[in-house]
């Protein structure tokens, strides 16, 4: 379980980016952080993962405060899939995934048989074993995202953090990636937290949504509570229509007819 209590953050000499944020994320569930650009979603991730540590409040994972953890121990608690990743070299897909075992390998050691075995298993689980010998720089955007997810999973960390995993992907690959994440979250009993811009994707694939605006929790709850006309119109300051189909709420913009809210 991941617990966030009264989290506030600001860069030195600047205004607060996060203000008294509190929520919990549970194992076997996907918690989506939803909000407009500049809401503080990526900043929140950097605080949770320990990249930025000069925050106020408390972040706990499996009962331990994150700010008390060493770098190696954080790597065993958190597996992170960044929004964008530009590789410095054309590594093989297998080698990129194997890098996820770094926290289990000694400073002057090489990956062992167990590390190679786990990398093979994860490649098969994610469905990209056929790409293992391909250069990471020459595969598609959707495939590259699956490689990063595989690299995160091979860490065997209980918390999976994904920052905009569907950015720059076409419609098909957005569905493929999020469906695979949901499947693995349940199978591995992971606590998965994802930042998203698209409320429809959040509605389909999340168990819980934390809507943030201007650094604060604006609304939170199950998808059917958050994906709501009143909530989303205030969150995005745009006229919307929410419809229900097969038990799931979907959002339709009404910009052409009515324009932006005043």
């Amino acid at each position: 379980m991941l617990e966030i209590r009264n989290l506030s953050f600001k860069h030195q000499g600047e205004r607060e980016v996060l203000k008294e944020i509190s929520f919990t994320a549970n194992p076997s569930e996907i918690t989506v952080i939803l909000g407009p650009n500049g809401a503080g979603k990526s900043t929140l991730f950097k605080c949770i993962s320990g990249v930025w540590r000069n925050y106020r409040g408390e972040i706990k994972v499996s009962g331990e405060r994150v700010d008390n953890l060493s770098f190696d121990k954080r790597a065993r608690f958190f597996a992170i899939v960044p929004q964008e990743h530009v590789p410095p070299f054309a590594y093989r897909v297998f080698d990129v995934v194997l890098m996820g075992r770094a926290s289990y390998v000694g400073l002057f050691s090489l990956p062992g048989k167990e590390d190679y075995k786990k990398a093979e298993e994860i490649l098969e689980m994610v469905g990209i074993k056929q790409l293992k010998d391909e250069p990471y720089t020459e595969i598609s955007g959707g495939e590259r995202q699956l490689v990063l997810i595989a690299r995160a999973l091979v860490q065997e960390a209980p918390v999976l953090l994904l920052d905009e995993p569907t950015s720059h992907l076409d419609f098909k690959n957005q569905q493929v990636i999020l469906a695979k994440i949901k499947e693995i979250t349940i199978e591995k009993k992971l606590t998965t937290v994802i930042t998203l811009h698209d409320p429809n994707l959040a509605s389909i694939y999340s168990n819980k949504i934390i809507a943030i605006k201007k650094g604060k929790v604006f609304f939170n709850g199950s998808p059917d509570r958050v994906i709501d006309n009143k909530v989303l119109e205030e969150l995005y300051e745009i006229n919307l229509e929410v419809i229900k189909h097969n038990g799931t709420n979907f959002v339709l913009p009404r910009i052409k007819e009515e324009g932006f809210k005043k």
Side-chain angles (χ1 to χ4, degrees):
M1 177 185 287
L2 177 66
E3 303 170 84
I4 314 295
R5 293 285 177 267
N6 302 317
L7 179 67
S8 297
F9 175 85
K10 68 176 181 178
H11 296 288
Q12 189 172 5
E14 297 184 14
R15 64 176 177 80
E16 280 193 317
V17 183
L18 302 177
K19 305 169 187 177
E20 300 293 321
I21 288 186
S22 297
F23 67 90
T24 60
N26 300 313
S28 302
E29 292 184 354
I30 292 178
T31 299
V32 166
I33 310 299
L34 184 70
N37 289 333
K41 300 188 297 297
S42 292
T43 299
L44 175 60
F45 260 36
K46 288 177 180 177
C47 291
I48 292 173
S49 62
V51 174
W52 288 339
R53 307 182 78 169
N54 55 327
Y55 53 78
R56 289 184 289 109
E58 189 175 73
I59 303 172
K60 285 186 175 181
V61 57
S62 300
E64 293 198 52
R65 286 181 61 112
V66 171
D67 52 359
N68 290 337
L69 299 177
S70 66
F71 178 82
D72 283 349
K73 199 161 186 181
R74 286 205 312 273
R76 296 199 183 195
F77 272 119
F78 294 106
I80 303 170
V81 178
Q83 187 175 143
E84 294 185 9
H85 179 249
V86 180
F89 187 75
Y91 294 104
R92 290 187 312 153
V93 163
F94 184 84
D95 295 327
V96 174
V97 174
L98 191 61
M99 290 175 191
R101 298 296 297 173
S103 63
Y104 296 90
V105 179
L107 184 60
F108 300 106
S109 302
L110 294 173
K113 289 182 180 179
E114 186 67 15
D115 301 307
Y116 280 87
K117 179 183 176 184
K118 289 186 180 297
E120 292 274 5
E121 289 172 352
I122 292 297
L123 281 166
E124 187 162 4
M125 174 188 292
V126 177
I128 54 172
K129 191 172 182 178
Q130 74 281 4
L131 298 175
K132 61 179 290 187
D133 294 318
E134 297 293 324
Y136 176 73
T137 51
E138 295 180 17
I139 58 178
S140 72
E143 290 169 338
R144 193 176 298 181
Q145 201 70 341
L146 285 170
V147 172
L148 293 178
I149 291 169
R151 185 183 68 175
L153 291 172
V154 84
Q155 286 181 233
E156 298 186 308
V159 179
L160 181 61
L161 303 176
L162 301 104
D163 192 6
E164 285 292 339
T166 58
S167 62
H168 312 304
L169 298 182
D170 62 26
F171 178 76
K172 174 187 174 181
N173 279 310
Q174 288 179 355
Q175 311 304 318
V176 168
I177 294 293
L178 289 175
K180 180 58 69 174
I181 291 168
K182 189 164 189 174
E183 176 189 327
I184 292 169
T185 295
I186 295 169
E187 182 177 339
K188 293 283 188 179
K189 296 182 173 59
L190 301 177
T191 298
T192 300
V193 185
I194 305 177
T195 65
L196 288 175
H197 282 299
D198 189 336
N200 287 323
L201 292 176
S203 183
I204 296 168
Y205 293 104
S206 71
N207 300 96
K208 180 194 295 184
I209 299 174
I210 312 298
I212 65 173
K213 181 178 182 180
K214 296 179 180 178
K216 296 181 179 180
V217 174
F218 177 75
F219 201 85
N220 74 84
S222 60
D224 62 322
R225 292 189 66 233
V226 179
I227 306 304
D228 168 84
N229 265 86
K230 184 178 179 182
V231 173
L232 294 184
E233 285 193 342
E234 290 189 38
L235 179 65
Y236 289 105
E237 299 179 3
I238 188 174
N239 293 296
L240 300 166
E241 180 180 358
V242 175
I243 61 171
K244 187 178 286 289
H245 178 68
N246 290 339
T248 301
N249 290 355
F250 292 94
V251 184
L252 299 175
R254 291 189 290 161
I255 299 174
K256 290 183 180 178
E257 292 85 356
E258 300 181 31
F260 290 89
K261 291 183 69 178
K262 302 294 185 184

